[in-house]
Amino acid sequence: MGKGGTLSEGVLKKIILSYTYVAIWIFLSFTVIIFNKYILDHNMYNWPFPISLTMIHMAFCSSLAYILINILKLVEPVQMTRDIYLKSVVPIGLLYSLSLWLSNSAYIYLSVSFIQMLKALMPVAVYSIGVLFKKEGFKTDTMTNMLSISFGVAIAAYGEAKFNTWGVMLQLGAVCFEATRLVLIQILLTSKGITFNPITSLYYVAPCCFAFLSVPWMIVEYPKLRDTSSFHFDYFIFGTNSLCAFALNLAVFLLVGKTSALTMNVAGVVKDWLLIAFSWSVIKDTVTPINLFGYGIAFLGVGYYNHAKLQALKAKEAEKKAAQVDDEAGKLLEETSAEKSAKKSESDD
C-alpha cells in the first residue's frame, strides 16, 4: 500500500490483469456453452450429433496444436515416452472424451440453466473420487458441506419444469468422468513432474479423444449422417465453434497460470449465474423459484468449499514461510557458531 492507503501501481496492474483473465475465461466459456447449445438443440440449428461435434473440436484442436509445435515451432513439446503416454495420457484421454461426449449430449435434452445447476456437483464428485483414490483425507465437515451441495441440487432438480431423466443421467455421467480425469491428472502426471500447457495438452490428448470417439461415432451417428442427404457442412459455423473451443483451452491455462485454480472456481460460480440469467432472459428457458432456491443452497455450499480451500492454501503458505524462516535462522546460527569456533581457534593459537 502507498501513502494514504492507496494501492501501488504494480499491485493495481496485477489486479487489473487478474480481472482481465477472469473476464476472458468467462466470455469464452459462456460463448462455447451457448454455441454448443445452439448447434445441438432441436429448436435452434438442429444438428443433434454430439459425438460428431466433439470429434470436429478434437480434430481442429489437435491439427492446430500440431502446426504450432511441429511446423511453426512456437511451442516446445513435452518429453514424452511411450510408457507415460500409454499409462497416463491414454486413460486421461479416454475420460476426457467420455466427459465431452456426455456433456454435449445433455444439451439436447436439458436447458442451459439446469445444466449449470447440475454442474454445481463437480466439487462433490472431485472430493469423493479424491477420497476414493486417497488423494484427499476424509473430513466430516467437508462431507457435510458436500451433502448440502447435493441437497441444493436435488431441490433444483425437483423444481425443474422440463426435467428429463436421460439428460440428467448424461450430465451426471459427464461430471463423474470429468472429476475422475482431474484426480487422475494429479496422480498420473503432476506427481511425475509432467505439466502440460494447453497446446501440448491438446497435442497429446486430443488425438486420443478423437480415436476413442470414433468407435461410438461409427455405430451411433455415422449411419444417421450418411442417410441425411440434406445436411451440408457449414465451415463458418463449425470453424468458429472449434476456434472458440481452442481459445477456451488457452484461456483456462492463462487464468490458472496467472492466478490460481481457486480463482477459476470462483469465476465459474459467477459464470453459472450469468448463464442462468441469459438462459432465462434470452433463450427463454423456464427457471422456477424452486430451481433458484435449490441452486442458491448449492451455491452457498460451493462458496463455503472455495472459502475453505482458500484458508487451507493460506495456512500452507504460512507454514512454508515459517519453515523458510526457521531454515534461515538455523543457517545463521550455524554460521555464527562456525565463526566463534574459528575465532577461538585463532586465539588458542
Side-chain angles (χ1 to χ4, degrees):
M1 300 286 282
K3 291 180 180 178
T6 57
L7 293 170
S8 67
E9 187 178 337
V11 173
L12 188 62
K13 186 179 178 182
K14 191 175 179 181
I15 291 171
I16 292 170
L17 281 173
S18 295
Y19 278 107
T20 303
Y21 298 139
V22 168
I24 291 170
W25 177 79
I26 287 176
F27 172 76
L28 287 170
S29 182
F30 189 101
T31 303
V32 169
I33 288 169
I34 297 299
F35 211 154
N36 287 352
K37 174 67 174 176
Y38 168 75
I39 290 172
L40 295 165
D41 196 283
H42 290 288
N43 299 318
M44 298 183 193
Y45 190 76
N46 191 24
W47 198 67
F49 299 103
I51 306 176
S52 301
L53 182 63
T54 309
M55 288 178 71
I56 290 168
H57 288 172
M58 293 299 102
F60 180 90
C61 290
S62 57
S63 299
L64 199 50
Y66 180 87
I67 291 168
L68 291 172
I69 291 174
N70 291 326
I71 298 176
L72 300 179
K73 299 190 183 299
L74 296 176
V75 181
E76 286 291 325
V78 175
Q79 294 299 318
M80 180 65 62
T81 65
R82 179 186 175 86
D83 186 59
I84 291 174
Y85 188 82
L86 291 175
K87 291 182 179 178
S88 301
V89 176
V90 170
I92 289 168
L94 173 61
L95 289 167
Y96 194 37
S97 64
L98 290 170
S99 170
L100 291 172
W101 171 18
L102 297 185
S103 62
N104 281 336
S105 298
Y107 286 113
I108 299 172
Y109 304 97
L110 303 175
S111 66
V112 171
S113 57
F114 187 44
I115 285 174
Q116 303 319 302
M117 293 175 190
L118 292 174
K119 283 182 180 179
L121 289 170
M122 184 60 76
V124 180
V126 171
Y127 177 73
S128 301
I129 293 167
V131 170
L132 188 66
F133 283 93
K134 297 182 179 178
K135 290 299 293 180
E136 294 269 5
F138 180 85
K139 295 177 182 176
T140 306
D141 56 342
T142 306
M143 184 52 72
T144 303
N145 185 34
M146 297 297 106
L147 290 173
S148 72
I149 295 171
S150 303
F151 179 66
V153 172
I155 292 174
Y158 177 77
E160 175 61 18
K162 296 178 181 177
F163 187 90
N164 183 288
T165 304
W166 179 239
V168 170
M169 289 173 63
L170 288 170
Q171 185 55 48
L172 292 180
V175 167
C176 289
F177 284 125
E178 179 62 11
T180 308
R181 182 183 76 90
L182 294 174
V183 173
L184 282 188
I185 285 173
Q186 292 181 350
I187 296 171
L188 300 176
L189 294 177
T190 309
S191 61
K192 296 177 183 177
I194 301 169
T195 54
F196 287 150
N197 63 43
I199 308 297
T200 53
S201 176
L202 292 171
Y203 179 74
Y204 291 110
V205 176
C208 261
C209 291
F210 187 91
F212 282 123
L213 289 169
S214 64
V215 177
W217 179 76
M218 287 293 292
I219 300 167
V220 178
E221 293 187 2
Y222 174 69
K224 294 178 184 177
L225 284 167
R226 184 186 55 203
D227 298 335
T228 309
S229 57
S230 60
F231 174 72
H232 298 285
F233 191 85
D234 191 325
Y235 287 95
F236 176 76
I237 290 289
F238 292 102
T240 51
N241 180 245
S242 299
L243 189 61
C244 287
F246 182 81
L248 178 58
N249 279 279
L250 298 183
V252 169
F253 177 74
L254 192 67
L255 181 61
V256 175
K258 299 297 182 182
T259 56
S260 68
L262 186 63
T263 302
M264 192 176 87
N265 287 342
V266 175
V269 174
V270 176
K271 178 207 70 179
D272 290 343
W273 278 111
L274 289 173
L275 277 165
I276 290 169
F278 181 87
S279 175
W280 170 73
S281 60
V282 179
I283 304 178
K284 303 301 179 184
D285 284 338
T286 303
V287 179
T288 67
I290 298 176
N291 271 149
L292 294 176
F293 176 70
Y295 184 64
I297 294 172
F299 165 74
L300 291 174
V302 172
Y304 179 78
Y305 174 78
N306 289 333
H307 172 73
K309 280 279 186 184
L310 180 60
Q311 296 305 312
L313 285 172
K314 284 182 178 178
K316 207 172 189 180
E317 201 63 36
E319 283 177 14
K320 275 187 184 177
K321 286 182 181 178
Q324 285 175 355
V325 169
D326 289 342
D327 287 343
E328 288 171 8
K331 286 178 184 176
L332 187 62
L333 189 62
E334 286 175 9
E335 288 171 5
T336 306
S337 299
E339 285 175 8
K340 283 181 180 179
S341 298
K343 284 179 181 178
K344 188 178 179 183
S345 298
E346 287 174 6
S347 61
D348 289 343
D349 292 340

